[in-house]
Amino acid sequence: MKVDPRFSLLVADRDRQKALRFSAAEDLAIGESATPLFDVGFGELCDLAEVGARQRQAFESAGDRTIFSNGWQSWSFSGELAAGERVHRARIIPNIAVYCDGPGPIEARGEILSRFLTYIRAGEARLVLFSAGMPERVTPPVSFRVDRSNFGIGAEISAKGGQFAKGDIVAEIRLFYREGYFATKDALRDVFRGFGHFERLAFLGSGTPVVPGGYESWYNHYTGIDDSIIGGDLAAIGANDNLINAYYLRRGKPTVFQIDDGWEKAVGQWEPDEVKFPRGMKVLAEEIEAKGLIPGIWVAPLIVTKGCEVFKKRPELLLRDDRGNPVPAGYNSGWNGVFYCLDISLREVEEYLDGVLERLVVEWGYRYLKLDFLYAGFIEGSRARPVKPAGGGAAYEHYNRLMRRLTSRTRGTRGREVAYLGCGAPLEPSFRHFPLMRIGADTKEVWEDPFLKRVVRHQGRPAAYTNLSNTIGRSLLDGTVFVSDPDVVFCRTTRMELTDTEKELVALADFMLASQIMFSDDTREFGEKEELAFTARVVGLYDRLAGREYGAERIGRDMFRIFSRDGKVMGLVNLSDRARIQPSSRWNLEKAIVAHARRGDDTLAFAPRSLSLFEG
Ligand code: 9PG
C-alpha cells in the first residue's frame, strides 16, 4: 500500500474487520480540495483482508464483477456499475451538476468515484472499504477511486482549509471481505451501532429499523399550498382508508404531517408568506398536533435565492469566490434560476440559522424538520473563517459544528421529541446528525421525464426510475447507517402517469429496502374502486411482508434479485423498459405473492418496470 508521506498508517483488527487508521505524520495545513491518503492494488487489498486463495481466484476470474458507487449526497446516483457503465453528469445547465458532484475532482475516465463506501463484488463475494469515522471525533469525508481495469483503489479526504497536528487521526478506513448481502450488512451495522445515533429517533416507531411514516404536501401540491389547502389535507387524512390512515394513524403509530416548500416568503427567507398563510404557521402546528399527528415543515437553511431578504440586506453572509462574487449553489427553474448559499464558517450565519430553527421548533412547535439542500455546505468558495481556532477551517468542520447546533433541539414545546430529516445532504458528513435521511432522488408521478433524462441527463433528476435505483442501490445503508427515507409512495390515479404496476413497485421497494413511508396524495379524490382498492392491496402486502429483513442484489443492468434474510420470500425487480426473460426453475408462479411474469417454455418473462415476489 502506498501511503501518502504526510500520513502514517496503523492497521488493527476490530469487529472482524481491518481498521486502517491514518494520522498526520507532521503538522499539516491542507490546501487542496482532495488530499490523497493511499493507493493500493487489488492483490494487496485481498492479502490485507485475508481473502483465501480460492476465493481470490474466484474473484479474479468471475465474469460478472461490479463496483459499488455511492454518490456524494441524497440525490446523487448510488448502485453497482458493471464494465462500461457510468453515471452521467448533467449537461446544458452546469449549475445542476453542482447538486450531485461533491468536493474534489469529478471522476476520470477508467475510474469509478465512490463516496463514504465502496465495494467490489463477484457473485456473493464482496471486498468492502468504507470510512468508519469515529464516534468521539469528526474526520473529513473520504472518497474512493476504483480503477475499472484492475480494481486498484485510491482514497482521498476532503479537508481543504483544515489543519492537523502531528498524530491527529484523519481517517479510519475499514476493510473486510464477506460473502453474502446480509453478512455485509451485519458488518456495517456492527460499526455504526457505535454511534448510537438511531436512539434519537426512538419516538418515531418501535423495532429495528424504525418505520416512521406520514403525509407531506410536496408531491400533492408542489409550491401551490396555502392555509386552507393544508387544513383540507389535514382534515382528509383521517376521513377514509388511505395509506397513512390505514397503516399508521388508525394503528396508533406515530404519524407525520409535513408542510413542504411553498409556505415561506422566499427560499432563504424563512417567514410565512402572509398572503398564503395569513394565520401564520404556529396555529397549523397546533392543529396538526391536536389531530394526533407530528407537525413537520420543510426548510433549506443553507441556500438563498436572489429575491430573498438575506440576499439583499445581508450580502456579507453569502459564500463568495476569491473575486468576491457569490458562488452558485445550484439551479432551479422554480426559483428563477441560479441560487446561492451562505458562508457556513461565519458565526453570524450560525446565529441567524439557529434563530430560524428556534422559531420553527420552539416558537411554532414543529417536531419533524426536513432540512433540505444541505449539500450547499460543501460548495467550494473562500470561506471567511478558514483558520483554527475560530472553529475549524475545513467545510466538514464548519458543517459538523453547524449541523450539531441546528439539530440540537431534541425536545420542542411541552417536552415533545423532535426529529430531523436530512435531504439533499452529503451522506458521510451528515449521518450522525441525521439518522433519518433521504437516500435518493425525488420520486415523481412519471417514470422518466424525457427532457431531464435525455437532454439534461441529471443523475438526481426527479423520476420514479432514478428514485428506485437509489432505493435499491442504497439498501445496505438502511438500518445500518440510516433510517432511510426513500421519498413518497403514490396511490392516486389523477395527476398520475405511473401505472398501477409501477406504483406497486415503488410501494413495495420502499417498504422492503428502506424504512420511512411518506405519502403525498389528495385523499379526497380517492374512490372505492381504484385508489382505495389499490391502497387496501398495498396494506395487505405490507402486513404479509412485515417482520422480515430484505435485501437486493444486481443481476444485470436494471435487474435485481430481492430476497428475505430467512429465505422465505424472493423475487425480482425489473427497472428496465423491456420484459426480461429468466429461467423459470427458480420461481414458482403458484407461490406468487405478486407476479408480473408470463410463462414461456422453461422461462418467465418479467414485465417491464415491475416487481414480482414469491414464497420460497
Ligand atoms: C422542495 C423539494 C422537495 C423535495 C426535495 C427537493 O435535482 N433536482 O433537480 C432537484 C429538484 C428538486 C428537488 C430535489 C432535486 O426537491 O427533494 O422532496 O422538498 O426540494 O423544493
Side-chain angles (χ1 to χ4, degrees):
M1 175 175 287
K2 220 180 85 215
V3 178
D4 187 277
R6 285 171 285 179
F7 304 105
S8 26
L9 166 63
L10 200 79
V11 182
D13 290 289
R14 294 232 253 143
D15 311 302
R16 289 176 52 235
Q17 306 173 11
K18 292 292 165 187
L20 316 181
R21 198 166 258 204
F22 292 86
S23 55
E26 59 202 76
D27 289 350
L28 293 175
I30 306 292
E32 72 272 63
S33 57
T35 304
L37 268 185
F38 66 85
D39 260 306
V40 63
F42 183 73
E44 205 187 327
L45 214 49
C46 286
D47 290 342
L48 203 55
E50 295 169 29
V51 181
R54 260 224 341 257
Q55 287 96 326
R56 179 148 152 199
Q57 228 248 315
F59 229 121
E60 281 171 346
S61 60
D64 59 346
R65 288 170 301 186
T66 49
I67 299 169
F68 180 68
S69 169
N70 180 47
W72 169 246
Q73 61 116 316
S74 308
W75 308 324
S76 313
F77 171 82
S78 185
E80 293 184 7
L81 296 170
E85 294 177 353
R86 66 196 178 92
V87 185
H88 290 295
R89 193 159 178 270
R91 51 184 188 189
I92 299 185
I93 310 170
N95 281 318
I96 283 193
V98 168
Y99 280 23
C100 293
D101 280 350
I106 60 168
E107 66 192 12
R109 230 171 230 295
E111 73 182 17
I112 286 174
L113 171 61
S114 186
R115 315 280 190 169
F116 195 9
L117 76 158
T118 186
Y119 63 80
I120 300 160
R121 180 171 75 85
E124 287 298 319
R126 286 176 173 79
L127 193 63
V128 184
L129 266 170
F130 66 102
S131 171
M134 281 173 291
E136 65 284 359
R137 188 189 155 82
V138 177
T139 49
V142 175
S143 308
F144 300 97
R145 293 175 192 271
V146 186
D147 189 315
R148 287 170 171 269
S149 61
N150 60 19
F151 301 111
I153 298 186
E156 67 203 26
I157 54 170
S158 303
K160 186 181 181 175
Q163 293 183 5
F164 300 104
K166 183 177 174 177
D168 279 355
I169 293 164
V170 296
E172 179 163 315
I173 310 292
R174 294 294 184 95
L175 167 68
F176 64 81
Y177 172 83
R178 293 286 190 279
E179 288 172 15
Y181 175 92
F182 289 109
T184 305
K185 196 156 184 173
D186 290 343
L188 290 172
R189 190 177 282 126
D190 286 345
V191 172
F192 290 98
R193 193 180 279 135
F195 287 85
H197 55 311
F198 286 4
E199 283 149 35
R200 296 173 59 182
L201 295 174
F203 78 101
L204 285 179
S206 56
T208 340
V210 180
V211 187
Y215 173 83
E216 69 177 278
S217 59
W218 182 246
Y219 305 87
N220 192 359
H221 310 288
Y222 296 97
T223 52
I225 50 174
D226 63 26
D227 187 85
S228 80
I229 289 171
I230 293 295
D233 290 357
L234 179 62
I237 283 288
N240 61 13
D241 290 342
N242 62 76
L243 185 63
I244 292 314
N245 197 23
Y247 195 72
Y248 285 95
L249 257 186
R250 208 165 324 105
R251 295 182 181 186
K253 299 181 198 170
T255 312
V256 170
F257 184 95
Q258 182 236 313
I259 303 169
D260 213 283
D261 186 5
W263 65 269
E264 71 282 356
K265 270 211 171 91
V267 172
Q269 189 167 349
W270 307 109
E271 294 151 22
D273 179 323
E274 285 145 7
V275 179
K276 292 157 93 180
F277 292 91
R279 299 188 302 152
M281 304 313 288
K282 183 177 179 191
V283 58
L284 281 169
E286 285 163 358
E287 287 168 4
I288 296 165
E289 199 80 65
K291 283 252 177 195
L293 293 129
I294 298 166
I297 198 161
W298 176 91
V299 62
L302 306 185
I303 59 172
V304 288
T305 51
K306 279 172 273 186
C308 76
E309 199 176 58
V310 173
F311 189 85
K312 290 186 277 195
K313 297 209 177 128
R314 300 188 70 185
E316 74 282 3
L317 300 186
L318 301 191
L319 179 69
R320 289 169 191 278
D321 61 21
D322 40 20
R323 278 188 272 133
N325 300 316
V327 187
Y331 175 96
N332 190 322
S333 54
W335 301 340
N336 69 72
V338 176
F339 56 88
Y340 301 90
C341 62
L342 298 173
D343 176 352
I344 63 168
S345 74
L346 294 170
R347 293 289 164 198
E348 293 81 353
V349 164
E350 188 175 324
E351 293 306 326
Y352 161 68
L353 290 179
D354 195 54
V356 171
L357 268 295
E358 174 79 12
R359 186 186 315 146
L360 301 182
V361 178
V362 179
E363 230 175 272
W364 296 351
Y366 286 89
R367 301 203 286 126
Y368 174 101
L369 285 292
K370 178 177 177 183
L371 303 195
D372 205 349
F373 288 80
L374 296 180
Y375 70 89
F378 281 80
I379 298 286
E380 284 217 32
S382 52
R383 295 202 167 76
R385 301 257 166 85
V387 192
K388 277 182 176 174
Y396 81 92
E397 294 171 284
H398 296 304
Y399 185 83
N400 186 64
R401 170 176 44 75
L402 185 59
M403 292 307 142
R404 196 189 315 122
R405 177 122 180 232
L406 297 189
T407 61
S408 63
R409 294 171 182 81
T410 53
R411 296 268 169 183
T413 24
R414 272 162 280 153
R416 292 188 176 124
E417 286 142 309
V418 183
Y420 296 86
L421 167 73
C423 188
L427 299 186
E428 183 177 358
S430 296
F431 77 84
R432 57 177 91 210
H433 308 291
F434 301 95
L436 186 61
M437 177 62 83
R438 257 289 284 286
I439 48 75
D442 290 24
T443 190
K444 207 180 155 95
E445 48 284 80
V446 56
W447 186 260
E448 277 280 19
D449 174 323
F451 176 75
L452 293 181
K453 181 186 178 186
R454 293 191 212 293
V455 184
V456 184
R457 295 210 305 193
H458 164 33
Q459 60 178 283
R461 61 187 178 272
Y465 170 79
T466 48
N467 169 269
L468 278 162
S469 64
N470 279 343
T471 302
I472 297 168
R474 288 193 170 128
S475 72
L476 279 170
L477 303 183
D478 180 49
T480 54
V481 184
F482 296 117
V483 170
S484 294
D485 167 21
D487 211 15
V488 295
V489 167
F490 290 113
C491 296
R492 71 189 190 223
T493 58
T494 46
R495 298 167 294 127
M496 177 48 62
E497 287 173 45
L498 298 173
T499 64
D500 275 7
T501 305
E502 291 161 3
K503 286 186 290 186
E504 182 193 84
L505 160 57
V506 173
L508 293 179
D510 287 2
F511 185 77
M512 298 170 81
L513 303 173
S515 288
Q516 178 161 272
I517 300 291
M518 292 300 277
F519 163 94
S520 195
D521 291 343
D522 188 340
T523 59
R524 285 160 291 192
E525 297 170 347
F526 279 21
E528 289 294 335
K529 272 230 214 50
E530 291 190 288
E531 296 86 353
L532 292 174
F534 179 87
T535 306
R537 213 155 59 74
V538 169
V539 172
L541 286 167
Y542 282 5
D543 286 338
R544 189 157 169 197
L545 295 169
R548 296 201 158 84
E549 196 184 345
Y550 298 93
E553 205 163 77
R554 180 194 152 116
I555 52 174
R557 189 175 197 137
D558 290 331
M559 287 277 282
F560 306 86
R561 229 160 51 75
I562 186 164
F563 41 82
S564 63
R565 190 192 274 263
D566 61 8
K568 294 269 165 61
V569 177
M570 58 174 103
L572 196 122
V573 182
N574 179 5
L575 294 189
S576 80
D577 294 338
R578 291 173 292 129
R580 299 286 280 264
I581 312 291
Q582 292 287 307
S584 65
S585 51
R586 235 187 148 130
W587 323 103
N588 183 351
L589 272 185
E590 276 70 61
K591 287 187 158 186
I593 300 170
V594 278
H596 299 280
R598 262 207 334 263
R599 208 193 296 269
D601 285 342
D602 293 312
T603 58
L604 283 180
F606 288 90
R609 306 172 182 176
S610 71
L611 186 154
S612 298
L613 287 176
F614 306 85
E615 266 165 15

